[in-house]
Amino acid sequence: MFYLYVNNFYYLTHLLIFIALCSLPFVSIGQSSLNIDLLDNWQDNSLLAGPSGVQYNDCWGYTQSGEEYALLGSTEGTHIFHIGDDNKLQLLDFVPGKYQSTLVVHRDIKTYQNYAYVVCDEGNSSLQIIDLSTLPNSVSVVTENDSTFTRVHNLFIDEDNALMYACSITPSVGGVLQGLISMQVYSLADPINPALVFTGPADVPEVHDAYVRNNLAYLSCGFDGLRLYDFSNPSIPIYKQNINLYQDQGYNHQGWMSPDGKKFVFGDETNGKRLKLCSVSNTTNQLNIEHLFGTNYSENSVPHNVMVTDHYAYVAYYNEGFRIYNILGDYPIEVAHYDTYPEDSPFKMYGAWGVYAALPSGRLLVSDRQYGLFLFDFRRELFAYPFNEEITVSPNPLQGETLTIRTGNGGITDFTVEINTLSGQKVGDWTFNDQTFGEIPVQLSRGYYLVSIIYTDYLGEEMKTVVKLSVI
């Protein structure tokens, strides 16, 4: 049981709980989970398998005519699924990659209009543009470019401006690989014939990934940190910010912004480095790192891909599986997880690779390098109240004969109130059920008292908040 005063009680308490959980040794305990329900899992053991059973890479979601679909990359190509009302993943079609090998590690997938854009960063590969308009029937490849896009590490598509950001490109001429290009931006005015509009930045060796909103591109530049450019004129972008020195810096891998534009989360794909939660300036859109957070980072864990909503950061966390953090309050708090990779490996980059958290149904997609595609349901109802509200005791000081207790967040609906003198003598106790407030008739002499509010949180832990009350 925890005893603390009301100021910031909620976050401090849960922070202590999760610090305690994260300090436990990481052991193979099966596919443990918290506040997440596994709906379905798809894997195909017949696929080519790389070292340590690696068969899968990125995943993405797609919606058409009210139906939800999932796309999964593998060593052999792209697998396309329907996500039914029965919460099952139904394999609809498979598009073989130009390059199929146990050496395939990266296959990235994004969608625009009714097309999927698929790239690979190994072998003599290509950009495939897949027409999805005929779903739920079979799909077809309408464009395959194996010279300009022989190898591409990641894609980001700015749908509002019909621009495709291709990151870390290795083109080829006559089948011979050329030098690495940090990034190229293509117009998708003609979706099946991307047209080059920009190449750069010239002063960084690579752009590993990008996130773009309102013409502002946040570029993850590996060991060169994070950059911000204004692409209002996509052929002549304007440099805005460079974050090239920060705490827990490693290989700047990827980031995502909340829909309200107030928060940006990015990660460094380096052992033991924590995720970064940034505030976004209302005037300049520049980032300021506010908090570092993560799971088992003291054990050299590595975060991979992240998607962010206004409330949560959804993280594919390699060996740590799938992790969800609430980012509404003073400090990011892990509220849910599912261990997609139950083994205990000294190599920290197996396991959960890709995450997609934007399906209209709220269902979640996660790809695991060894264990395929997962479909999850997150128990959001447990956290469907503002985390930044506090338990209040009012009025304080008390002059009348009625004391009101409000639990603030709707997650606390059963609680007990106990009033004691400073010497420990109990004045009385009251129990409230199925409500978020309680009114207590009291007749107290002048002086100071301790008001204790006792309840059980969503982890099943008994919590006790103590407020000092002045009676005048």
Side-chain angles (χ1 to χ4, degrees), residues 358-430:
L359 290 172
S361 67
R363 293 175 292 189
L364 303 168
L365 298 170
V366 174
S367 57
D368 184 284
R369 301 185 73 193
Q370 281 81 6
Y371 293 102
L373 183 63
F374 289 80
L375 179 65
F376 291 120
D377 181 39
F378 168 40
R379 300 175 189 172
R380 294 175 182 82
E381 67 276 6
L382 295 174
F383 315 101
Y385 51 88
F387 271 34
N388 59 346
E389 293 192 19
E390 301 174 342
I391 289 178
T392 59
V393 176
S394 62
N396 190 3
L398 175 65
Q399 283 184 290
E401 296 181 351
T402 301
L403 189 67
T404 300
I405 312 295
R406 295 187 182 277
T407 60
N409 48 63
I412 304 173
T413 57
D414 300 288
F415 58 97
T416 296
V417 178
E418 184 178 298
I419 301 179
N420 293 272
T421 65
L422 294 184
S423 63
Q425 181 180 356
K426 182 187 288 189
V427 174
D429 57 67
W430 302 260

Side-chain angles (χ1 to χ4, degrees), residues 153-165:
H153 195 78
N154 278 305
L155 297 175
F156 186 90
I157 296 179
D158 176 6
E159 297 186 34
D160 291 339
N161 294 291
L163 293 173
M164 180 176 73
Y165 292 71

Side-chain angles (χ1 to χ4, degrees), residues 54-60 71-79 101 103-109 118-120 122 304-305 316 351-355 366-370 372-373:
V54 171
Q55 294 177 295
Y56 310 97
N57 34 71
D58 203 19
C59 65
W60 198 249
L71 298 93
L72 172 69
S74 74
T75 53
E76 296 190 21
T78 305
H79 311 258
S101 169
L103 300 178
V104 171
V105 176
H106 309 87
R107 202 179 295 279
D108 198 51
I109 307 165
V118 183
V119 293
C120 177
E122 287 79 32
H304 196 228
N305 286 322
W353 175 284
V355 57
V366 174
S367 57
D368 184 284
R369 301 185 73 193
Q370 281 81 6
L373 183 63

Side-chain angles (χ1 to χ4, degrees), residues 53-232:
V54 171
Q55 294 177 295
Y56 310 97
N57 34 71
D58 203 19
C59 65
W60 198 249
Y62 173 71
T63 303
Q64 178 175 285
S65 301
E67 297 295 319
E68 296 181 348
Y69 300 90
L71 298 93
L72 172 69
S74 74
T75 53
E76 296 190 21
T78 305
H79 311 258
I80 301 170
F81 304 83
H82 177 249
I83 308 172
D85 292 337
D86 59 356
N87 294 321
K88 298 299 181 183
L89 295 165
Q90 177 190 1
L91 181 64
L92 298 177
D93 207 348
F94 169 70
V95 178
K98 183 177 185 298
Y99 183 68
Q100 300 178 320
S101 169
T102 60
L103 300 178
V104 171
V105 176
H106 309 87
R107 202 179 295 279
D108 198 51
I109 307 165
K110 297 295 185 293
T111 55
Y112 174 66
Q113 294 183 357
N114 57 284
Y115 299 100
Y117 297 75
V118 183
V119 293
C120 177
D121 199 16
E122 287 79 32
N124 284 302
S125 192
S126 65
L127 165 69
Q128 293 178 323
I129 303 178
I130 303 170
D131 186 356
L132 304 175
S133 64
T134 52
L135 287 174
N137 300 315
S138 60
V139 300
S140 59
V141 176
V142 292
T143 297
E144 184 147 12
N145 183 319
D146 60 2
S147 56
T148 306
F149 302 96
T150 304
R151 293 182 181 178
V152 179
H153 195 78
N154 278 305
L155 297 175
F156 186 90
I157 296 179
D158 176 6
E159 297 186 34
D160 291 339
N161 294 291
L163 293 173
M164 180 176 73
Y165 292 71
C167 303
S168 293
I169 299 177
T170 304
S172 66
V173 176
V176 178
L177 295 174
Q178 306 299 299
L180 182 71
I181 299 171
S182 62
M183 185 181 72
Q184 290 184 325
V185 182
Y186 289 82
S187 169
L188 297 181
D190 181 350
I192 63 175
N193 293 295
L196 180 65
V197 295
F198 174 76
T199 298
D203 61 335
V204 292
E206 63 171 322
V207 175
H208 184 86
D209 210 333
Y211 180 88
V212 187
R213 172 90 63 83
N214 297 328
N215 296 308
L216 295 168
Y218 298 85
L219 307 182
S220 295
C221 300
F223 292 114
D224 290 290
L226 182 68
R227 290 196 178 186
L228 170 61
Y229 288 83
D230 185 342
F231 274 84
S232 296

